[in-house]
Amino acid sequence: DGVAALKINDLPKPKRRKVDVLAEHKKVSGKKSASFVVIGHVDHGKSTLMGRLLLDLNVITQRSLDKLQKEANTLKKSSFALAFIMDSNKDERERGITVDIATSHFSTDSTNYTILDAPGHQDFVPNMIAGAAQADFSILVVDASPNSFESGIRGQTHEHALIVRSMGASNIIVAVNKMDAAHWLQDRFNEIREQMTGFLTKVGFKPENLVFVPLSGLTGDNVSKRRDDADVKWYTGPTLVNALDSIAPTERAIEKPLRLEVFDISTDSQLYPVSISGRLTAGNMQVGDDVIAMPSGDTAIIQGITIEGNDVDWAVAGSIATVHLSGVDAEHLRQGDIICARDSPAQNVRTFQAKILAFEQVLPMFVEVHAGTMSREGQVKMPLVALLDERTGDVKKKRPKVLNGGEVGRVEVEFGDEKGAPVEKGRRVVLRYEGRTIAAGLVE
Ligand code: GDP
């Protein structure tokens, strides 16, 4: 009886320590955090470059690389040892948050980075979208060696660039890779920079948001250490690591109202009625705070916060935390719900407009709407709002009958559930139909 009551009833409200979370956060962290996705044509050297970063920034040791080198030699793939790092170092797939992508982590003096890793094959587009949906920016790897660059542009490079752009990541570092194989020729670098700038601005990137770095993932030149041989005196720009640090967003949205995206709900704790795990996408929270769960609108009190197994008093955007709540019924919570600051919650909407990139035909049709860990039934409304110019976003045609694969458009989507869902402006959404991703884009 007592136990059942505890599940539903309030625990006494815990003492709020009134922590100045922003000030505390500044004291302890000092570091920014940022995540990025690596894109580019297969074989252009994505895995090798990421392996190089993890080696140079001491995530893996030279000894483990030597071991991988032996394995690679046995497999007669000796040039792939660095690329093998990415496979051996993948963190366990964190359910919910990373969908089908693996993450790796490394830190520079100023920033903690998460690499959102999606495998580089034809069929990896859904994973790539999952990565792009969480990325602050991307690294586009292009092969500078003769002929490769040109075939890459015709290949996956175009599709990847469109996807990251449609998901709202507006900064790209272009790693002009394999410069060792291109003899560090300035002309080759300039030629690629010119062509890529033309190409990326055509899919909607602004020239000032592009950074080009000539480098070699294989030899490590200009990755974390500057190559200072005579053949590359012409280059005075940043190394890849410097470029990363300058592009990483300076402040997570920690001063904004709390948004915590729920990916797991549990009633197993002996101490607390309901515990939820989730990711703080904005704001901050502390023990004793009043919160509200959307879309249900149920209010709750934060009884405790756990991060990586430790009880803490507060947490800020960017963290993944377990929050222990009282005053709320677990039955009213679902994966994909948003826990909000009580005084400024996300509003439920029944319909929303989104600017999307279609991968397949999009018509007025029933779809699954995915946003982060949320998945809900919905419907693309008739008529479609507009077909847009992929670069400028200008309306090319009103009320088109259909958006074809590769086209950018504006549509209105209605949730099946009358209550709607708390999707806010700027949220990244993915539309699926019969298990296939048919479109991705941003809520307007
Ligand atoms: P991915 O498919 O884009 O991940 O490419 P990989 O990292 O697997 O690399 C494909 C091939 O290119 C491998 O044989 C690598 O050793 C080679 N490669 C990668 N980076 C470089 C580089 O900077 N210089 C040279 N010469 N080869 C490289």
Side-chain angles (χ1 to χ4, degrees), residues 319-353:
S319 348
I320 291 162
T322 300
V323 189
H324 311 290
L325 299 175
S326 64
V328 68
D329 190 338
E331 301 278 305
H332 294 179
L333 296 169
R334 280 175 79 180
Q335 188 181 58
D337 284 0
I338 311 281
I339 306 294
C340 306
R342 188 159 174 185
D343 51 10
S344 63
Q347 301 297 326
N348 290 333
V349 295
R350 179 73 196 275
T351 62
F352 64 87
Q353 253 188 26

Side-chain angles (χ1 to χ4, degrees), residues 222-380:
N222 285 351
V223 178
S224 69
K225 292 171 221 111
R226 177 170 294 282
R227 176 179 175 88
D228 48 15
D229 284 35
D231 57 6
V232 64
K233 282 281 179 280
W234 52 267
Y235 181 69
T236 52
T239 60
L240 179 63
V241 167
N242 297 149
L244 283 168
D245 284 345
S246 66
I247 210 175
T250 42
E251 216 28 285
R252 286 245 159 223
I254 66 175
E255 295 174 33
K256 295 196 177 145
L258 172 70
R259 298 288 183 266
L260 184 147
E261 190 177 318
V262 176
F263 59 82
D264 199 23
I265 300 143
S266 138
T267 52
D268 297 342
S269 165
Q270 299 296 315
L271 285 175
Y272 303 109
V274 179
S275 301
I276 57 162
S277 322
R279 185 166 117 128
L280 275 84
T281 55
N284 61 79
M285 61 184 185
Q286 60 182 296
V287 173
D289 276 356
D290 289 310
V291 292
I292 181 165
M294 299 304 285
S296 75
D298 285 16
T299 56
I301 295 162
I302 297 178
Q303 293 284 345
I305 301 171
T306 310
I307 293 182
E308 287 174 7
N310 301 312
D311 292 332
V312 295
D313 292 325
W314 51 270
V316 299
S319 348
I320 291 162
T322 300
V323 189
H324 311 290
L325 299 175
S326 64
V328 68
D329 190 338
E331 301 278 305
H332 294 179
L333 296 169
R334 280 175 79 180
Q335 188 181 58
D337 284 0
I338 311 281
I339 306 294
C340 306
R342 188 159 174 185
D343 51 10
S344 63
Q347 301 297 326
N348 290 333
V349 295
R350 179 73 196 275
T351 62
F352 64 87
Q353 253 188 26
K355 186 173 162 184
I356 58 165
L357 164 65
F359 301 109
E360 298 179 16
Q361 279 205 338
V362 176
L363 310 155
M365 64 204 287
F366 288 98
V367 290
E368 266 169 53
V369 185
H370 294 258
T373 55
M374 181 192 84
S375 161
R376 302 282 182 270
E377 307 280 305
Q379 185 181 358
V380 176

Side-chain angles (χ1 to χ4, degrees), residues 51-349:
R52 166 62 61 186
L53 270 175
L54 297 182
L55 179 70
D56 280 9
L57 297 172
N58 304 317
V59 177
I60 79 133
T61 59
Q62 183 64 42
R63 231 180 106 199
S64 343
L65 177 63
D66 293 344
K67 231 172 96 193
L68 290 171
Q69 185 66 64
K70 272 195 200 132
E71 281 173 35
N73 295 348
T74 321
L75 294 168
K76 298 220 168 12
K77 286 194 150 207
S78 55
S79 75
F80 282 86
L82 277 165
F84 282 7
I85 292 177
M86 281 307 278
D87 296 322
S88 67
N89 189 63
K90 274 171 191 165
D91 287 356
E92 280 200 13
R93 282 155 201 259
E94 294 161 284
R95 186 160 67 90
I97 344 165
T98 49
V99 197
D100 290 324
I101 47 176
T103 58
S104 302
H105 303 274
F106 67 92
S107 300
T108 63
D109 290 340
S110 71
T111 311
N112 298 319
Y113 289 97
T114 301
I115 309 175
L116 304 161
D117 181 35
H121 298 292
Q122 285 294 352
D123 58 356
F124 93 137
V125 164
N127 291 355
M128 153 93 221
I129 294 163
Q134 300 169 55
D136 294 314
F137 62 90
S138 28
I139 297 182
L140 168 59
V141 179
V142 298
D143 184 340
S145 53
N147 300 321
S148 301
F149 166 68
E150 287 73 12
S151 62
I153 282 234
R154 286 192 300 273
Q156 287 139 20
T157 308
H158 179 248
E159 187 175 29
H160 294 180
L162 257 183
I163 293 170
V164 291
R165 180 73 196 93
S166 308
M167 297 305 265
S170 50
N171 288 290
I172 287 198
I173 297 175
V174 183
V176 181
N177 193 31
K178 307 200 190 181
M179 281 301 288
D180 57 311
H183 312 289
W184 294 95
L185 288 173
Q186 179 173 17
D187 283 353
R188 182 63 175 156
F189 175 72
N190 286 344
E191 181 189 354
I192 290 178
R193 185 172 55 189
E194 231 160 77
Q195 286 197 40
M196 284 311 289
T197 302
F199 161 77
L200 289 170
T201 47
K202 233 197 223 149
V203 292
F205 290 94
K206 296 194 181 126
E208 63 267 28
N209 291 339
L210 309 175
V211 181
F212 291 83
V213 184
L215 51 80
S216 167
L218 197 62
T219 63
D221 289 302
N222 285 351
V223 178
S224 69
K225 292 171 221 111
R226 177 170 294 282
R227 176 179 175 88
D228 48 15
D229 284 35
D231 57 6
V232 64
K233 282 281 179 280
W234 52 267
Y235 181 69
T236 52
T239 60
L240 179 63
V241 167
N242 297 149
L244 283 168
D245 284 345
S246 66
I247 210 175
T250 42
E251 216 28 285
R252 286 245 159 223
I254 66 175
E255 295 174 33
K256 295 196 177 145
L258 172 70
R259 298 288 183 266
L260 184 147
E261 190 177 318
V262 176
F263 59 82
D264 199 23
I265 300 143
S266 138
T267 52
D268 297 342
S269 165
Q270 299 296 315
L271 285 175
Y272 303 109
V274 179
S275 301
I276 57 162
S277 322
R279 185 166 117 128
L280 275 84
T281 55
N284 61 79
M285 61 184 185
Q286 60 182 296
V287 173
D289 276 356
D290 289 310
V291 292
I292 181 165
M294 299 304 285
S296 75
D298 285 16
T299 56
I301 295 162
I302 297 178
Q303 293 284 345
I305 301 171
T306 310
I307 293 182
E308 287 174 7
N310 301 312
D311 292 332
V312 295
D313 292 325
W314 51 270
V316 299
S319 348
I320 291 162
T322 300
V323 189
H324 311 290
L325 299 175
S326 64
V328 68
D329 190 338
E331 301 278 305
H332 294 179
L333 296 169
R334 280 175 79 180
Q335 188 181 58
D337 284 0
I338 311 281
I339 306 294
C340 306
R342 188 159 174 185
D343 51 10
S344 63
Q347 301 297 326
N348 290 333
V349 295

